[in-house]
Structure formats: C-alpha cells, structure tokens
Amino acid sequence: MRDFSQDHRWLSINTATVRRQRGAEQPLADIIEACARHGITAISPWRDQVAAAGLPAVSKLVRGHGLQLSGYCRGGMFPAVDAAGRLAARDDNRRAVDEACELNAACLVLVVGGLPGALGGRAAHKDIALSRSQVHDGIAELLDYARASRMPLAIEPLHPMYAADRACINTMEQALDVCDALDPGLSGALGVAVDVYHVWWDPKLQAQIERAGTGPQGRRVSRLLAFHVCDWLTPTADLLNDRGMMGDGVIDIPRIRGWVEANGFAGYSEVEIFSTGNWWQRGTDEVLQTCIERHRSAV
Ligand code: ZN
C-alpha cells in the first residue's frame, strides 16, 4: 500500500467539495487556481461547472496547470419514461464522453439513475427492475461510443438510500455483474468507481474488490477505475449533503484503500464531500488544507 503520509501527490479534489462556500457558487476557475496554489495535482470536476466556465477555457486552465483529472462527473441517468427520454439521455451521455476526452479524464463516472422522475419528487413508476434493465441497455449502448473514443466508463454504485432517485446500482456486486456481462474480455473500457461513502457497509465489499482485480484464469487485471473518499458521520443529518471529512466518521478508509491497491488500483484518492452545514461553510483554503492533512493521516 502506498505511503500517503509524507506528501499529497495522490490527492485529487472532486470540485463539489469546495463549490458552494458560504452559499455562494464558486467559479470552477477559482477552484482550479486554489488547488494549484495548494500543490494539488488532480481534480474531478462536474459537468455543470465546466459548462458554466466553458469547456475550452477549462481545458486551457487544466493543461496550463498540468492538472490531471481523476474522473469526470458525471454521465448516467439512463432510465426514462419513453423512447424520446432514453434518446435524450443517450445523446447527453455521448456529449459527456466527448467532454471527458477533451479534458483527458481518467474515466467518465456513471451515476446510472433510478426511477424516472423520482429525482424531481414524482416517480413515474415503481418498477425498479425495469430501471435496472434500462441501465444495462444504456451502458451497453454508451460503451460502444466510449470505446471508440477510448474513454473508460466507471459505474459508481450508490448507497441503497439513493436507489429511487439517483442510482439503482447499489453494490459493487451489481456493478461488477454489469461489467462482466457487457465487457467479458476485461478490455479496460468498463469498470467501477469505489466511493467509500456508498459501499463501506457492504459485507461483500472485500470479496467484490478482489473480484474486480481478477480476470479469467486469475489474470491480474483491474476494473477499479476510481477511488472516492469522505466519511460517514453519526448521526448523518442529511441524506445527500452531510458527508464527513476523512477521519471524522466511522469508515475504515485505510483498510478499504489497502484492498483496492492490492487489487490493482494505483490512481488518485479523490476527496468528494458535499457538506451544507460544515465544509461548505468554510473558506476554500481551509477546506483544501484540511483535505491535505487528512489525506496524509486518515486515508
Ligand atoms: Zn463518488
């Protein structure tokens, strides 16, 4: 396992972590400048932040600072009530792949969607199996496009509390089942994003991480494309926006990092914290400095 205690060269900042300081949306350019100032060499931005700043401008900034993208957030949201909705999702996901390529991202992260309409407060139906089959078909179709663009797709299993509105893939096992079905040759085009917040509780986590690092006949290949960290607070006050700083909660992050690294993951540790009540109330420099310290001591 890599030693993170001496420096932060493997730290990446998911730009949502510092996007809404004291209620004000921070321009992505400012976040990038702040990361550069702190010697942070990788980020993972969100599509809406990139759209607001303009893709060419972001691309220029990223290249100018020599920044890497540990991932690009995000594609997915495949289920829809009708064919037109699914076509719209297909086209939007293709644009996400194109943007990820322009930014030279390590992967496009997929939050696959749940029951159509649920995110807006009114689910169109209750058939989660239907949503899962549409997710399967949507990823299959996008995979052809992404493969041609050489952009790996990383399915991110989300905690089951988001099954209705954000993602009906909720465990590593489910995500890897989709990977095995759609990419049996382990080409590298399809894998998973392991976010400790979503999967830490899973009794099968270690076994599934081992599965992700083992190909046919025990060949060493890895479907582990991204590793996201934050912490699970007790109590958790908000289902979406009360994630903790690493070290402040109950997740044994070093243990999970040990598992992913033993199974072929050698990329960035990406800090992804949505925190209305705490970290979004602080200044960007303080948050980034804390991320650096905790990356060294608690990841
Ligand atoms: Zn994540």
Side-chain angles (χ1 to χ4, degrees), residues 203-271:
K204 292 184 178 174
L205 181 58
Q206 182 179 7
Q208 292 299 319
I209 288 173
E210 286 166 1
R211 171 186 173 193
T214 311
Q217 283 91 45
R219 190 160 54 96
R220 300 295 287 169
V221 288
S222 191
R223 291 213 195 268
L224 303 169
L225 300 180
F227 182 61
H228 300 173
V229 298
C230 66
D231 217 331
W232 185 282
L233 301 175
T234 52
T236 289
D238 183 282
L239 293 189
L240 186 63
N241 293 323
D242 190 28
R243 295 186 177 207
M245 180 63 66
M246 301 81 73
D248 287 348
V250 299
I251 305 178
D252 190 343
I253 301 170
R255 183 185 297 252
I256 301 173
R257 182 163 74 86
W259 293 340
V260 297
E261 293 195 6
N263 286 283
F265 181 74
Y268 290 94
S269 177
E270 177 183 321
V271 177

Side-chain angles (χ1 to χ4, degrees), residues 90-111:
R90 184 200 71 179
D91 292 346
D92 191 50
N93 276 308
R94 289 181 176 183
R95 284 192 292 274
V97 168
D98 295 344
E99 292 162 24
C101 288
E102 169 62 27
L103 296 171
N104 198 26
C107 58
L108 174 66
V109 172
L110 299 181
V111 170

Side-chain angles (χ1 to χ4, degrees), residues 156 195 198 228 243 272:
E156 181 164 354
D195 185 325
H198 296 301
H228 300 173
R243 295 186 177 207
E272 184 183 32

Side-chain angles (χ1 to χ4, degrees), residues 36-68:
R37 215 163 48 235
H38 286 269
I40 292 163
T41 58
I43 60 169
S44 181
W46 287 67
R47 288 186 74 197
D48 65 315
Q49 294 177 301
V50 170
L55 180 61
V58 175
S59 179
K60 196 171 164 207
L61 264 179
V62 163
R63 284 164 212 265
H65 285 295
L67 282 174
Q68 303 293 313

Side-chain angles (χ1 to χ4, degrees), residues 143-219:
L143 185 58
D144 288 337
Y145 187 86
R147 225 191 264 283
S149 306
R150 298 178 196 280
M151 177 49 59
L153 300 177
I155 303 170
E156 181 164 354
L158 259 53
H159 191 284
M161 67 183 170
Y162 303 115
D165 54 4
R166 287 189 164 75
C168 56
I169 290 183
N170 307 103
T171 61
M172 283 282 288
E173 184 172 34
Q174 262 184 295
L176 290 169
D177 285 349
V178 174
C179 291
D180 285 353
L182 299 180
D183 179 42
L186 291 101
S187 66
L190 185 61
V192 292
V194 177
D195 185 325
V196 299
Y197 191 73
H198 296 301
V199 299
W200 70 276
W201 56 273
D202 184 351
K204 292 184 178 174
L205 181 58
Q206 182 179 7
Q208 292 299 319
I209 288 173
E210 286 166 1
R211 171 186 173 193
T214 311
Q217 283 91 45
R219 190 160 54 96

